[in-house]
Amino acid sequence: MPFANSAGARIYWRVDGRADAPALILVNSLGTDHAFWAPVLSGLTRQFRVIRLDNRGHGASDVPAGAYSMEQLGRDVLAVADAAGVERFHYAGVSIGGMIGMWLAQNAAHRIDRLVLANTSAYIDPSVFNTRIDQVRKLGLPGISEAVLGRFFTAGYIAKRTEHYETVRQTLLMLDPEGYNGCCAAIRDMQIAAGVPGIKHPTLVISGTHDQSTPAEHGRRLASEISGATYIEMPTAHFSHSECPGHFIDVVVRHLKGEATGQTMPRAASSDAQRFEQGLGRRKQVLGDGYVNARLAATTPLTAGFQDFITRYAWGELWTRPVLDDRTRRLLVLVMMCALGRWEEFKMHVRQGRAAELDMQEVQEILMCVAIYCGVPAANTAFHHLGDVLEEAV
């Protein structure tokens, strides 16, 4: 396990994604560990070298006795960045993670590129966390867990009892009360509100309409006080990334890449040449250099415009969107090719998907769905072509 030493405390961290991608540090909510980010992790690792950590008192990190401070938590993040060999990084934090992000933006501004503050606040009433600390001392974390989970998620999401919900619940129940209360004290005692207007980083603020812990008006206030900040509100409780993972990935990735955010806002304008180059890179990544180079070499004056068009729009626009991962897109394309009877395209996408990341068991599974929803003849033909492709590789 990788640990960073921060003033004598061991802080657990891990990294996911390509080593050559821009660094993004994620810091999660009070009462959770790094697994908190599971609903959005795959959408972020496609674009960034994602570094997660367990705050002191949580997960695999040490649990020093006594009250913690926002400065300690911020310096823990910097220790992790140093251990990972990262001088500058993007930063995204939820709840206390956002508070730590604001401390960093005010006290280590030179380390941060772009900032995401989700479901967080700089204006918490200290008495709230005095009460919370007393409750944990009297009842333990199991005694307050249902109330805490009721703030984390909307009632509708809780009723679904998803795997993610159960993971969050079990993590909360297994936490050391000493570490939980230590972080509660850091929130209670934080002094970051006065410095919010001085934050100069490009900042995205995300709130949940039904968030009781850090109400949406707190997020709107943050966005109004940070010059140039963008504000997004989602129909969630405290964990916006859990209940709206696709929307969360979309706005966060676009913000960190310097594009417009929000489903109704246009993407940042780029020249046709830039979109073509971006699309060509994605086309080769998905379909393979050999196939794409052969198609481009066969281009004639008659087909040149078409090749330019599909490279810019199919690959430079659609396949670069952040919400769906490549595996999901590949499977969707295979289903659509079956439904339309485009068998050459089906075989080509099977070949390239198999060479990249698709498990043939996944392809067999979607062909069973094709049999039900597109018809047995379509599935029968698809299995025939799948067999041909698999024989080619023998």
Side-chain angles (χ1 to χ4, degrees), residues 261-337:
T261 55
Q263 292 179 331
T264 61
M265 296 177 67
R267 300 189 71 175
S270 61
S271 70
D272 286 348
Q274 289 174 321
R275 191 181 295 119
F276 180 88
E277 288 304 315
Q278 185 179 26
L280 183 60
R282 281 297 282 140
R283 191 178 181 187
K284 289 182 176 181
Q285 185 180 20
V286 174
L287 300 181
D289 287 1
Y291 175 83
V292 174
N293 288 337
R295 300 292 288 182
L296 294 177
T299 300
T300 67
L302 181 65
T303 62
F306 174 71
Q307 287 295 325
D308 177 74
F309 172 77
I310 62 171
T311 301
R312 283 187 292 119
Y313 288 97
W315 301 102
E317 286 283 344
L318 180 61
W319 278 82
T320 59
R321 295 177 68 85
V323 176
L324 298 179
D325 58 75
D326 283 357
R327 171 179 274 103
T328 301
R329 277 195 212 281
R330 289 182 191 276
L331 293 173
L332 287 172
V333 168
L334 290 179
V335 170
M336 287 184 274
M337 294 305 96

Side-chain angles (χ1 to χ4, degrees), residues 70 95-96 98-103 106 117-126 129 186-197 199 205 213-215 217-223 225-226:
M70 204 56 64
S95 192
I96 192 174
M99 299 166 194
I100 296 168
M102 286 182 271
W103 185 92
Q106 295 171 34
L117 305 174
N119 301 88
T120 192
S121 175
Y123 324 106
I124 299 294
D125 179 355
F129 280 90
I187 298 173
R188 178 195 64 196
D189 300 335
M190 67 181 179
Q191 301 291 325
I192 58 174
V196 168
I199 295 175
V205 179
S213 298
T214 53
E217 54 263 30
H218 290 219
R220 288 192 287 268
R221 180 177 172 184
L222 283 175
E225 292 187 359
I226 299 173

Side-chain angles (χ1 to χ4, degrees), residues 202-388:
T203 301
L204 170 65
V205 179
I206 300 172
S207 292
T209 303
H210 311 293
D211 189 345
Q212 302 173 53
S213 298
T214 53
E217 54 263 30
H218 290 219
R220 288 192 287 268
R221 180 177 172 184
L222 283 175
S224 70
E225 292 187 359
I226 299 173
S227 178
T230 299
Y231 178 76
I232 298 289
E233 190 168 316
M234 301 182 186
T236 69
H238 196 45
F239 288 179
S240 56
H241 80 296
S242 300
E243 301 197 51
C244 290
H247 192 186
F248 189 94
I249 292 168
D250 185 56
V251 297
V252 168
V253 170
R254 292 191 184 196
H255 169 70
L256 296 181
K257 293 176 71 176
E259 300 178 356
T261 55
Q263 292 179 331
T264 61
M265 296 177 67
R267 300 189 71 175
S270 61
S271 70
D272 286 348
Q274 289 174 321
R275 191 181 295 119
F276 180 88
E277 288 304 315
Q278 185 179 26
L280 183 60
R282 281 297 282 140
R283 191 178 181 187
K284 289 182 176 181
Q285 185 180 20
V286 174
L287 300 181
D289 287 1
Y291 175 83
V292 174
N293 288 337
R295 300 292 288 182
L296 294 177
T299 300
T300 67
L302 181 65
T303 62
F306 174 71
Q307 287 295 325
D308 177 74
F309 172 77
I310 62 171
T311 301
R312 283 187 292 119
Y313 288 97
W315 301 102
E317 286 283 344
L318 180 61
W319 278 82
T320 59
R321 295 177 68 85
V323 176
L324 298 179
D325 58 75
D326 283 357
R327 171 179 274 103
T328 301
R329 277 195 212 281
R330 289 182 191 276
L331 293 173
L332 287 172
V333 168
L334 290 179
V335 170
M336 287 184 274
M337 294 305 96
C338 290
L340 296 170
R342 304 292 191 260
W343 299 116
E344 286 304 313
E345 289 283 315
F346 173 82
K347 291 167 69 175
M348 181 268 289
H349 279 281
V350 169
R351 288 188 193 99
Q352 303 306 329
R354 185 168 185 263
E357 59 191 338
L358 286 190
D359 185 321
M360 288 303 100
Q361 188 65 39
E362 294 175 306
V363 178
Q364 294 175 47
E365 194 67 24
I366 66 163
L367 294 188
M368 298 297 288
C369 295
V370 166
I372 297 298
Y373 294 103
C374 300
V376 170
N380 186 52
T381 303
F383 273 112
H384 172 75
H385 288 302
L386 176 61
D388 288 345

Side-chain angles (χ1 to χ4, degrees), residues 22-26 48 88-93 101 104-105 109-117 199-205 228-230 251-261 268:
L24 167 62
I25 293 183
L26 303 178
F48 305 101
R88 288 182 63 86
F89 49 86
H90 298 307
Y91 181 95
L104 289 167
H110 63 289
R111 302 293 299 268
I112 297 177
D113 286 324
R114 286 176 169 266
L115 184 63
V116 178
L117 305 174
I199 295 175
K200 303 302 181 186
H201 305 83
T203 301
L204 170 65
V205 179
T230 299
V251 297
V252 168
V253 170
R254 292 191 184 196
H255 169 70
L256 296 181
K257 293 176 71 176
E259 300 178 356
T261 55

Side-chain angles (χ1 to χ4, degrees), residues 43-169:
L44 298 176
T45 53
R46 291 196 302 277
Q47 306 283 342
F48 305 101
R49 181 188 181 209
V50 175
I51 300 166
R52 294 177 288 162
L53 61 137
D54 291 342
N55 287 324
R56 63 172 57 212
H58 290 64
S61 292
D62 283 351
V63 186
Y68 307 155
S69 70
M70 204 56 64
E71 179 178 359
Q72 284 179 310
L73 297 173
R75 295 198 181 282
D76 291 346
V77 173
L78 295 176
V80 166
D82 292 343
V86 173
E87 177 60 29
R88 288 182 63 86
F89 49 86
H90 298 307
Y91 181 95
V94 171
S95 192
I96 192 174
M99 299 166 194
I100 296 168
M102 286 182 271
W103 185 92
L104 289 167
Q106 295 171 34
N107 295 278
H110 63 289
R111 302 293 299 268
I112 297 177
D113 286 324
R114 286 176 169 266
L115 184 63
V116 178
L117 305 174
N119 301 88
T120 192
S121 175
Y123 324 106
I124 299 294
D125 179 355
S127 66
V128 171
F129 280 90
N130 275 328
T131 300
R132 182 83 59 86
I133 291 169
D134 288 342
Q135 288 176 329
V136 172
R137 285 172 177 162
K138 293 174 183 176
L139 305 174
L141 287 169
I144 69 164
S145 63
E146 293 307 309
V148 169
L149 291 166
R151 291 190 294 269
F152 283 173
F153 305 104
T154 60
Y157 187 85
I158 291 174
K160 296 176 184 178
R161 284 299 196 275
T162 66
E163 292 177 5
H164 176 63
Y165 169 83
E166 292 297 340
T167 297
V168 170
R169 178 176 174 274

